[in-house]
Every structure is written in structure tokens, then in C-alpha cells.
Amino acid sequence: MTAQTKPLITRRAAKIVRRRQLIDAAIESIAKRGLGDTTLAHVSTAAGLSQGIVNLHFASKENLLNETLNQLRAEYEQNWRAALEKSASDPASQLAALLRSDYQKTVADNKKLAVWFAFWGEAKSRPTYKKISQERVTDYREILKELLARLIEEGKYSPMDIAELAQGIIAMADGLWLNILISANGFKRSDAEKVMMQYLRQIFPKHKQAFL
Amino acid sequence: MTAQTKPLITRRAAKIVRRRQLIDAAIESIAKRGLGDTTLAHVSTAAGLSQGIVNLHFASKENLLNETLNQLRAEYEQNWRAALEKSASDPASQLAALLRSDYQKTVADNKKLAVWFAFWGEAKSRPTYKKISQERVTDYREILKELLARLIEEGKYSPMDIAELAQGIIAMADGLWLNILISANGFKRSDAEKVMMQYLRQIFPKHKQAFL
DNA sequence: ATGTACTGAATAACCATTCATTCATTTTTA
DNA sequence: TAAAAATGAATGAATGGTTATTCAGTACAT
């Protein structure tokens, strides 16, 4: 080994690594203190770096927050796409996989849920937050509608309004997130999943098996 | 008329009126700017009053915000109780009335929804917000469970997990609020109501009529 | 050596809260 | 009843604390 080995973490870290580190620190702080009480001092301290670091890498606080939300959105999408790929290809299994993915700890842990709601809470007054929040479910909704159509055909269920059905399912999925965040009596991710699966069994009784 | 007529508004009454006026101004500002950007200057100006007025009537900003959330909670509860009283007493009608009440403009207009989500967004870090948010649905949930039990008996439906069912319904109700708040393509209160009624028709097919 | 990541003190803006003062109403007194 | 005193509501300028942003300087990498 020579005198200067390449250190695993250079003191001068790669730009991308730093940005990600700061986004993580932001998530941490928003979960702990809320969006309103999160200051750049909190973020930079949590990241173990200096005061001016956020402005150096993101130019402004606003920018950091936008990118934080965007990061969350990207993770969310990746997560359900991965779940679909891992699952069997019949519509019932795909549907189960898609909806179960909403309650995996990767995306639905307490911290991240708190951050989602923090941004939704400001969505009305911040167009960027609103836009990214909409984007979170645009592809999800399309895939969901396709799966519902296939499942209804396969099971020869009586015709349903698929768009409305999809809206309802997504609404329940989000509402269960709220329940995890707010609930007093320790309503957990696994409880949310149960409720959702019960719902699917009710709509698609011929496919009960897939939703157990 | 003598020189000193009895004033229409007594001082004590005025105090309550003022508090209400300031809470309304707070709702206005939170809906417009978000919770984080709402300052006491915004609130007092919107109320057409002076700088120090909020501290005079509420002692602190924190207090004003707590009372604002509490006001919202009280209105919400009043609204669904009134809806139940107005409706027929059979369980299906009651259930329909309860769930429709969530989408009346009294409680689910854009401003108030924005404020609900603003508080939920901070609920994780503010125990008071969390507590009041929980309280919003405690009675609602109990009534809902009773109605579900009665309806299942009346309709001789196969047994269901009523607690889970109620959780699911409430979750969908809240999620539809989010959809109204965030949606790009003008998802309205009436659309939310449709989705919810479709859901109820699916679970309780023998009572379709009540959910049209 | 030179550029680049990073630092942290300084700055300017903002904001909740305080409080001396003004204005209005009610109560007391004669 | 009328004037005076007391009480209460509201004002808005001043204060002290906080915070995003800037930038001149430091230290590391190649």
C-alpha cells in the first residue's frame, strides 16, 4: 500500500454525494421539526458541515426543498416499479404488489410520511410542491387503471367505472398514510396493508387468494 | 332616542367576535400563504386591525394556531352531527348522510382543506396538532362502526371486520380530500362524493339505492 | 501552483412580542 | 342627569431574537 491510498470518502466529496447528504439531512430535520421550523443551520449541522453549505450546493433553501420533494417522488416511483417487476405477471398479483408497495418501509416510514404531509400542507401556496405531488401519482394511476381493466376482464366482473375505482383506491392508500402518521393507537404499515387488502378482496371476490 | 343608546354589541360579545374574526383571518392567510409563511402581521392586517392585536386576544401565535385548528375540528363535528339528524334513521341513509357530509362546502372548501393539511403536515412535530387531528375522527369513527354493524345485520351481509372497514372508509374520505386539494384536472367535492358512493354500493349491493 | 470545495463571520431582512399611549365605553358620584 | 373616574380595547413603534444569504478567506487535490 502506498502512502496515499485513495480514501473511500474524500474530504472533498463528489457533488452528487454532498447533495444527497444534504437532502437526507433536510428530510431528517423536516420529520423532526416540521417544514416551518427547519432552518439551514439545522440542515448543515445535521450533515456535519458548515453554515453556507446549502447555498453552495443548492443556491437557495427553496431549491433544496424542491429537490428534496423530488427525491422523495423518484424513490416512490422506483419502489412500485421494482415491486411490479418482482411480482407474477397476472393482473391480481400485480395489483396486490402495486398496493402493497405503498406500505414498504422504504417509502412509508414515519419520517418520509411526515415529509410528504409537510409538503402537501404547503402545496396550495407553492406551485412547485403541488406539481410534484401531482406527478407522484400520474404514472401510478395509469398502471393501476390498466391492471383493474385486465382483472375485471379476466374475472368477468360486472362492468365498473375504472377511473372512479382507481381514484378511490389511491385515495384510500393516501388516507392510510395519514392514519399511520396521526394515529394514537400505533396504527402501523402492516395494519394499513391489511385494510387495503380487505378492500380489494371485497371488490374482487373471485381473486381473494391474491389479496391475502 | 336618548344620548347614550345601549350599544348593539356589548364589550364581552365583542371579545368573542374579535377572536373569531382573527381565527378567520388566520385560516385565510394559511390557505393563501401556508402555515410557514403566515405572520401575525398578515393576520392582523387581513382582519383590518393593528399589529399587537393577536397577542392581546390570544397571548401568543402558537395559541392562535391551536385555537384555529380546534375551531376547524368543532365545525367538522357539528357538520356531520347535523347531517345525521336531518337524515332518515335507517342505517343506510345515515351512512350515506355521514359520508356525504365530508364533501359539503361548509367543511370541505379549498381554504379549509388547505388548512387541515397544513396542520397535518406539522402534526408529527407538534403534539397539540396531532392530538386535535386525532380527536377529529374519534367520535366519527365510533358512529361509523355502529352504522356499519346495523347495516350488515339489516342486510344480512356475510360477516366483515367492522373496525378495518371503518378505517378503510375514513382513509378513503381523507384521501379524497387530498385529491381535491392537489388534483390538476379540477377534481371537485362532487367528484369525491361520487367515488365514495361507488365504494359503498360495492360493499353493500343490497342497499344500492341509498348510495346513489 | 492553481482551481475547487468548503468555512464561518458578517449582513440585512424579517418577525413575535412588549408596552406606553390613545380612544371608547361603562360605572360612579354628586 | 351630567360630569368625572375607572375600566377595557386597540394601537403601533420599539426591541430582541432569528435566519437566509453573501463572500473573503482557508485547505485540500492534482
Side-chain angles (χ1 to χ4, degrees):
Chain A
M1 226 185 261
T2 63
Q4 47 282 52
T5 46
K6 220 174 255 167
L8 285 177
I9 302 161
T10 51
R11 178 132 154 67
R12 312 281 185 212
K15 276 208 138 143
I16 296 173
V17 173
R18 261 304 97 105
R19 285 171 65 94
R20 183 56 190 270
Q21 184 187 358
L22 289 168
I23 286 174
D24 287 344
I27 290 174
E28 207 73 25
S29 173
I30 295 167
K32 187 158 145 198
R33 271 175 283 259
L35 202 42
D37 289 347
T38 288
T39 70
L40 290 187
H42 290 141
V43 174
S44 54
T45 308
L49 293 163
S50 70
Q51 177 75 315
I53 198 72
V54 169
N55 289 279
L56 182 71
H57 286 278
F58 290 92
S60 72
K61 183 184 186 183
E62 190 188 349
N63 228 277
L64 167 69
L65 295 179
N66 288 340
E67 302 255 21
T68 300
L69 181 52
N70 211 47
Q71 165 69 28
L72 238 49
R73 187 200 56 78
E75 267 178 29
Y76 177 78
E77 193 159 329
Q78 266 179 255
N79 188 255
W80 64 255
R81 285 192 194 279
L84 286 184
E85 273 177 26
K86 264 179 255 160
S87 129
S89 64
D90 63 289
S93 303
Q94 291 267 298
L95 191 59
L98 182 66
L99 282 150
R100 277 191 220 276
S101 81
D102 278 340
Y103 307 105
Q104 283 166 4
K105 57 179 167 305
T106 341
V107 294
D109 75 310
N110 275 352
K111 278 178 201 167
K112 284 178 188 168
L113 292 189
V115 178
W116 274 115
F117 276 87
F119 281 109
W120 289 341
E122 303 258 291
K124 192 176 183 226
S125 39
R126 306 242 173 176
T128 313
Y129 297 172
K130 190 170 188 173
K131 187 159 170 269
I132 299 177
S133 301
Q134 286 162 3
E135 286 167 3
R136 180 185 69 106
V137 282
T138 39
D139 285 6
Y140 186 104
R141 183 185 292 116
E142 289 315 306
I143 300 283
L144 176 58
K145 285 198 280 190
E146 280 173 33
L147 292 175
L148 290 172
R150 283 171 56 202
L151 189 60
I152 287 167
E153 211 204 324
E154 186 189 281
K156 302 203 192 317
Y157 292 101
S158 52
M160 312 181 190
D161 184 323
I162 289 176
E164 272 187 14
L165 187 54
Q167 297 278 28
I169 291 173
I170 293 176
M172 186 181 287
D174 295 341
L176 288 169
W177 271 11
L178 178 65
N179 215 350
I180 295 172
L181 184 76
I182 298 282
S183 135
N185 38 331
F187 187 87
K188 291 178 304 180
R189 287 182 287 108
S190 59
D191 299 316
E193 197 180 293
K194 266 186 216 149
V195 173
M196 179 56 80
M197 290 300 126
Q198 190 201 31
Y199 175 35
L200 293 177
R201 287 197 302 275
Q202 279 167 342
I203 317 177
F204 302 113
K206 293 172 198 157
H207 293 84
K208 270 197 184 72
Q209 328 283 8
F211 306 120
L212 288 175
Chain B
M1 229 186 260
T2 63
Q4 49 277 57
T5 44
K6 220 174 256 169
L8 288 176
I9 304 161
T10 66
R11 279 199 187 172
R12 171 167 288 163
K15 216 159 185 178
I16 296 171
V17 171
R18 251 327 76 114
R19 285 172 66 93
R20 184 53 190 272
Q21 184 186 0
L22 289 168
I23 287 175
D24 287 345
I27 290 175
E28 207 73 24
S29 173
I30 294 166
K32 187 158 144 198
R33 271 175 283 260
L35 202 42
D37 289 348
T38 287
T39 71
L40 291 187
H42 290 140
V43 173
S44 55
T45 308
L49 293 162
S50 70
Q51 178 73 316
I53 198 72
V54 169
N55 288 279
L56 181 70
H57 285 277
F58 290 90
S60 71
K61 184 185 185 181
E62 191 189 348
N63 228 277
L64 168 69
L65 295 179
N66 289 341
E67 302 254 23
T68 300
L69 181 52
N70 212 47
Q71 165 70 28
L72 238 48
R73 188 201 55 78
E75 266 179 28
Y76 177 78
E77 194 160 328
Q78 265 180 258
N79 187 254
W80 64 255
R81 285 193 194 280
L84 286 184
E85 273 177 27
K86 263 179 253 159
S87 127
S89 64
D90 63 290
S93 303
Q94 290 268 299
L95 192 58
L98 183 66
L99 283 149
R100 277 190 221 276
S101 82
D102 278 340
Y103 307 106
Q104 284 165 4
K105 56 178 167 305
T106 340
V107 294
D109 75 311
N110 275 350
K111 279 179 200 168
K112 286 178 187 168
L113 292 189
V115 177
W116 274 115
F117 275 87
F119 282 108
W120 289 341
E122 303 258 292
K124 196 184 178 219
S125 39
R126 307 242 172 178
T128 313
Y129 297 173
K130 191 170 187 174
K131 186 158 171 271
I132 300 177
S133 302
Q134 286 163 3
E135 286 167 1
R136 180 186 68 106
V137 281
T138 39
D139 286 5
Y140 185 104
R141 184 185 292 114
E142 289 316 305
I143 299 283
L144 176 57
K145 284 199 280 191
E146 281 173 33
L147 292 175
L148 290 171
R150 283 172 57 201
L151 189 60
I152 287 168
E153 211 205 323
E154 185 189 282
K156 301 203 192 316
Y157 292 101
S158 52
M160 313 182 190
D161 184 323
I162 289 176
E164 272 189 12
L165 188 54
Q167 297 277 30
I169 291 173
I170 293 176
M172 186 180 288
D174 295 342
L176 288 169
W177 272 10
L178 177 65
N179 214 347
I180 295 172
L181 185 75
I182 298 283
S183 137
N185 37 331
F187 187 87
K188 291 178 303 180
R189 286 183 288 109
S190 58
D191 300 316
E193 196 179 293
K194 266 186 216 151
V195 172
M196 180 56 80
M197 291 301 126
Q198 189 200 31
Y199 175 35
L200 294 177
R201 288 197 303 274
Q202 280 166 343
I203 316 177
F204 302 113
K206 292 173 199 156
H207 294 83
K208 271 198 182 71
Q209 330 284 10
F211 307 120
L212 288 175

